Amino acid sequence: MSSQERQSCRERHHDDLAAYALGALPGQDAAELERHLATCSACSERLRWLQPAVDLVPATVRQLEPPPELRESLMAVVHEEAAAEAAPAERPQSRERGFFAWLRLPALGPMRPALAGVAVLLVLLAGVGGYVLGTDGDAGGPGESFVVTSLQPGVAASGELEVHDDSATLTVQGLPPIGGDEVYQVWTVQGNKQPRSASIFVPEGNGRASAAIPNLPADADQVVVTREPAGGSEVATTAPVLQSSLR
Amino acid sequence: MTAADLARLGDEELMAVVDRKDPAAFEVLYDRHGGAAFSLAYRIVGDRTMAEDTTQEAFLSIWRSKARYDRARGSVRSWVLGVVRNRSIDALRRGGANAPKLDHDDEAALDVREAPERTEAEAVRRETSDELRAALQALPSEQSKVIELAYFGGFSHSEIAEIISQPLGTVKGRMRLGLEKIRAEIAEAITPDAIEGLT
């Protein structure tokens, strides 16, 4: 490119390059400039030179602390989707049914079947003991309350699950404290399907906690809570601490 | 790969692991850039709930690979913030906003706390951010205004010309002069390490 051509190019395109770098060039103009950039090294170089200035504009924003709930809800969705993607490969290997078919207890080894059996018995007992608080027995409808019971001997935790349309709120008290590297994780259970992570929470010092279940499946049978490593797990790794039967 | 291994990865290496749908890697990505993303979203939309929603939408878009990182177009941080900017401006338009949010009163947002400085790097970043903000404000107001309308308001050059009642050529010229000053006077005054940390 001659110096005269370079000068002509500068006069014609440099203002547009700044607008383009700022995302302020409308579609047709931007497309035309992009065609020019594909053939003009001087303008491409100029755009590369300008870009750091544009990249610094968001750095001028006053830095704020995002709410912890944002991270929790984002990671709950991410873990749920990662688990769902991994699920097809795992399903054929499973011969168990319900929540415990999906329970991963790697450290328990040979004890796992026995523990799962005890836990299943506890689930059944809890199912008999559980009942709908807010209705005459019609389970699953909007605005209903269900009891939440402890599945761990010696733990007097209890609570309530309030269902509103396709969401629910879990409120519990008497939860044992957990370490900084652990969370409680809420799961929804539908028959033999893989339990879906609904949310994670950390109880207050007095053992109270509440957690939102934003997308409660209409055909969910149970809501259970397990203790998991911080950030939650893709698949439950411990036996349930709490359970609420929706049927 | 352990959490410690992931934390030691550079952003570009980390993105390769995120692309393999590793939640732990994505968590590290969010921890590195979530604060800047939320701050930018809040600066654009001016509403805490909407800023949370758009930040979540942007990161889920990254997680679901709907937005793909291209190293040729800059750093991971710039790319993440670009995704957040686009989502925020879309949200602003969906909300029917027709006035630019040029000057949010951050101090008045009592429910939004400033990020604490947990590390020396964050303290440097905060200090540099303050310097940059002051420098942007030190630009002639007609130049900083068109840059802010374009970047934070998402307006095209012709919309800006209408908003400030100036010819299109004047608007484009102010954008160019403003960016040239930032590039020549500000970016070069900051160490390369600080720029890398910011972008």
Side-chain angles (χ1 to χ4, degrees):
Chain A
M1 184 183 281
S2 69
S3 60
Q4 194 173 3
E5 286 170 329
R6 190 176 283 266
Q7 179 63 29
S8 165
C9 195
R10 175 191 294 264
E11 287 169 3
R12 185 170 173 199
H13 293 296
H14 278 198
D15 282 356
D16 278 350
L17 281 171
Y20 179 77
L22 282 164
L25 208 57
Q28 197 170 342
D29 294 348
E32 190 181 321
L33 183 63
E34 282 167 1
R35 280 194 293 275
H36 172 71
L37 283 167
T39 60
C40 180
S41 59
C43 284
S44 296
E45 193 177 319
R46 169 79 180 176
L47 182 63
R48 277 196 296 276
W49 184 80
L50 279 178
Q51 195 59 48
V54 178
D55 291 342
L56 283 175
V57 174
T60 64
V61 170
R62 188 183 300 264
Q63 295 300 294
L64 305 170
E65 186 177 17
E69 302 81 34
L70 173 58
R71 186 182 193 278
E72 286 171 15
S73 65
L74 177 66
M75 290 313 301
V77 174
V78 166
H79 281 292
E80 186 179 333
E81 292 186 359
E85 282 208 6
E90 293 176 4
R91 277 202 183 98
Q93 299 167 6
S94 175
R95 294 181 179 178
E96 297 168 276
R97 292 290 180 267
F99 182 81
F100 292 94
W102 302 98
L103 187 58
R104 281 186 182 164
L105 299 171
L108 295 174
M111 286 182 62
R112 183 186 170 194
L115 177 61
V118 171
V120 167
L121 180 61
L122 288 168
V123 168
L124 291 174
L125 290 172
V128 171
Y131 60 94
V132 179
L133 288 176
T135 72
D136 294 331
D138 293 330
E144 293 173 335
S145 298
F146 299 86
V147 290
V148 176
T149 53
S150 169
L151 294 181
Q152 285 197 341
V155 174
S158 61
E160 189 174 306
L161 183 74
E162 285 192 23
V163 177
H164 302 280
D165 297 325
D166 59 351
S167 64
T169 306
L170 179 72
T171 310
V172 292
Q173 53 274 327
L175 273 172
I178 53 176
D181 55 350
E182 280 185 300
V183 293
Y184 283 105
Q185 188 161 1
V186 185
W187 308 84
T188 59
V189 183
Q190 298 166 263
N192 294 329
K193 293 181 183 172
Q194 181 180 4
R196 292 173 57 184
S197 173
S199 61
I200 56 177
F201 66 88
V202 175
E204 296 170 21
N206 58 11
R208 292 179 180 274
S210 62
I213 301 173
N215 296 304
L216 182 68
D219 55 348
D221 305 314
Q222 303 173 55
V223 170
V224 300
V225 177
T226 63
R227 279 170 81 145
E228 302 293 339
S233 300
E234 296 173 22
V235 177
T237 60
T238 66
V241 179
L242 299 170
Q243 182 258 1
S244 181
S245 175
L246 305 177
R247 300 293 172 200
Chain B
M1 194 175 285
T2 66
D5 292 336
L6 290 168
R8 279 193 290 270
L9 292 179
D11 272 355
E12 291 189 5
E13 296 166 304
L14 186 66
M15 278 309 301
V17 188
V18 170
D19 282 344
R20 296 200 295 268
K21 298 290 182 189
D22 185 321
F26 184 79
E27 203 161 2
V28 174
L29 182 77
Y30 176 81
D31 288 343
R32 285 185 190 171
H33 305 297
F38 175 73
S39 303
L40 175 60
Y42 182 75
R43 171 66 182 80
I44 291 172
V45 301
D47 175 85
R48 177 194 168 104
T49 304
M50 200 186 288
E52 289 178 30
D53 289 346
T54 52
T55 304
Q56 174 148 337
E57 278 177 23
F59 272 93
L60 283 178
S61 161
I62 291 167
W63 166 250
R64 291 166 181 161
S65 303
K66 287 180 180 169
R68 305 289 299 185
Y69 171 61
D70 175 5
R71 69 173 61 190
R73 303 188 71 170
S75 68
V76 170
R77 190 179 189 83
S78 293
W79 171 71
V80 169
L81 294 181
V83 175
V84 171
R85 173 186 179 257
N86 291 341
R87 291 272 171 174
S88 302
I89 287 169
D90 285 348
L92 204 57
R93 287 177 176 159
R94 280 200 306 272
N98 51 17
K101 294 182 180 302
L102 271 183
D103 192 19
H104 292 311
D105 184 357
D106 291 331
E107 301 299 338
L110 296 176
D111 59 342
V112 179
R113 289 177 296 160
E114 283 207 37
E117 291 164 5
R118 295 192 185 89
T119 65
E120 188 181 347
E122 284 173 352
V124 170
R125 186 176 290 175
R126 166 73 62 81
E127 190 178 330
T128 312
S129 172
D130 289 346
E131 287 173 10
L132 280 169
R133 191 164 51 248
L136 187 63
Q137 286 166 353
L139 283 178
S141 63
E142 64 270 17
Q143 291 172 14
S144 61
K145 191 171 188 178
V146 295
I147 288 172
E148 292 193 11
L149 279 167
Y151 193 90
F152 298 120
F155 293 104
S156 69
H157 56 19
S158 51
E159 288 171 324
I160 294 170
E162 195 174 329
I163 290 166
I164 64 173
S165 302
Q166 291 291 329
L168 183 58
T170 303
V171 169
K172 290 199 284 188
R174 287 176 181 175
M175 285 178 177
R176 178 178 57 77
L177 287 170
L179 285 186
E180 284 176 352
K181 281 187 185 167
I182 294 174
R183 185 65 179 88
E185 296 174 20
I186 302 170
E188 287 178 7
I190 297 172
T191 66
D193 285 348
I195 292 175
E196 180 65 24
L198 284 163
T199 64

